[in-house]
Amino acid sequence: MSYEELWHRLTPLYEAGEAKAVARWVLDVRFGLSMADILCGKVTDLSANDQAELEKMMLRLEKGEPVQYVVGTADFYGRQFHVEPGVLVPRPETAELCEWILTQKSRPSALLDIGTGSGCIAITLALEMPETKVSAWDISDAALGIAQGNAKTLEADVCFEKQDALSPPSDSRRWDVIVSNPPYIKPQERDGMAENVLNHEPEVALFAPEENPIIFYQRIGDYAWKSLTSGGLLFYELNPLTANEVSTYLSRLGFEEIEIRQDLFGKQRMLKAKKR
């Protein structure tokens, strides 16, 4: 198969530019072919075994499976994280949330990431702030295994724990920063979502309960109010449709200096709140 044949096979799912990018990424990450190699026609020089593997990967892509799952890696904050269907594919908006935390004037002594998934937030912050003790929770054994593997590969010191965000512990631990990217998509938003997300990414990490779509923000906010140190910060990734509801709830709890920021697409995507 030539490069042209590969990306043309993906055009029913992607625009031409994105189809080319997906094909290039597969050839680069899995088969080590640079753009120069591709332009020189070295795709057709792959061994019979590699050609067979490439065909299997193409069949998965043609079914709409995210390329990150197909190649097993996702780029996040300049690093590569292993991902598979048990965790969400890290998004650029989440990297913006990490950047916001990293631009704070003081470094936290203890930070907690609730709902860690692949570990992209916790591991990134642990590597960028080595003086901070970072912990991370998730309810999924599969996610915790993936996150622990990523921490080992990237040599990040993170303490992972199995914990339900809706039933946080009543212990005496104290955090300077709590961050969470919880399930926040309303079920009624399903019709407007991409098929590759709906069919392949874990629903438990995507969708909030229909009867209360901000319940994760509420329970995490309740826990943060009890467990943050004085002046401690709470950071959320938001659903723009419920951003104001979340802000109002935190304000009623007593949080101050609540700020909502837009992501690179101009949507209300991030929140910071301070415990007085």
Side-chain angles (χ1 to χ4, degrees):
M1 287 179 287
S2 69
Y3 169 59
E4 288 73 18
E5 290 173 319
L6 292 175
W7 71 260
H8 275 293
R9 286 175 61 176
L10 299 177
T11 52
L13 295 172
Y14 303 102
E15 293 182 359
E18 190 172 2
K20 292 178 182 179
V22 169
R24 283 199 304 270
W25 196 20
V26 170
L27 293 170
D28 177 15
V29 173
R30 175 57 191 87
F31 302 100
L33 295 179
S34 67
M35 193 61 214
D37 293 331
I38 294 170
L39 294 175
C40 290
K42 291 188 178 181
V43 178
T44 56
D45 295 335
L46 291 173
S47 68
N49 286 340
D50 283 348
Q51 289 281 0
E53 183 175 351
L54 177 58
E55 176 60 23
K56 290 179 181 178
M57 297 174 80
M58 289 300 300
L59 291 174
R60 291 172 66 185
L61 290 168
E62 287 177 310
K63 291 178 181 178
E65 189 170 350
V67 64
Q68 293 90 345
Y69 289 159
V70 174
V71 299
T73 62
D75 291 330
F76 186 83
Y77 213 84
R79 300 179 179 93
Q80 286 201 332
F81 286 76
H82 171 66
V83 293
E84 52 189 74
V87 297
L88 292 181
V89 174
R91 263 67 170 184
E93 305 94 294
T94 308
E96 291 185 80
L97 180 62
C98 289
E99 184 63 30
W100 196 7
I101 295 170
L102 291 169
T103 57
Q104 301 306 300
K105 292 180 180 179
S106 60
R107 293 301 199 209
S109 296
L111 179 147
L112 173 64
D113 172 29
I114 299 179
T116 196
S118 65
C120 61
I121 292 176
I123 292 168
T124 296
L125 296 176
L127 292 172
E128 296 295 326
M129 301 188 297
E131 67 276 25
T132 299
K133 183 178 180 180
V134 177
S135 297
W137 294 351
D138 207 288
I139 195 173
S140 164
D141 289 324
L144 287 170
I146 293 167
Q148 289 168 336
N150 280 325
K152 183 177 180 180
T153 299
L154 294 168
E155 299 182 342
D157 185 8
V158 178
C159 177
F160 293 99
E161 299 177 38
K162 184 173 183 179
Q163 180 62 57
D164 184 354
L166 297 181
S167 301
S170 56
D171 54 36
S172 59
R173 282 182 287 183
R174 291 292 178 265
W175 313 96
D176 301 303
V177 169
I178 293 176
V179 56
S180 183
N181 176 19
Y184 60 60
I185 300 173
K186 292 183 174 184
Q188 56 264 44
E189 295 180 75
R190 181 183 292 268
D191 291 343
M193 294 174 63
E195 288 294 323
N196 64 336
V197 175
L198 282 174
N199 294 338
H200 298 281
E201 298 201 49
E203 289 203 3
V204 67
L206 289 169
F207 292 99
E210 186 171 4
E211 63 274 12
N212 184 3
I214 68 167
I215 189 171
F216 284 96
Y217 295 108
Q218 291 172 333
R219 296 294 82 79
I220 294 168
D222 294 342
Y223 176 74
W225 183 250
K226 296 175 183 177
S227 63
L228 279 172
T229 56
S230 179
L233 299 176
L234 173 63
F235 289 88
Y236 281 143
E237 183 168 325
L238 296 169
N239 181 341
L241 296 178
T242 57
N244 291 331
E245 290 179 63
V246 173
S247 176
T248 297
Y249 186 82
L250 295 178
S251 179
R252 288 173 179 167
L253 281 177
F255 281 94
E256 300 177 336
E257 299 179 27
I258 299 172
E259 179 183 355
I260 294 176
R261 283 191 178 182
Q262 295 181 344
D263 63 17
L264 69 168
F265 302 110
K267 295 183 178 181
Q268 291 185 313
R269 186 66 66 187
M270 297 165 282
L271 179 147
K272 179 180 76 169
K274 182 178 181 179
K275 179 181 177 181
R276 62 172 181 263

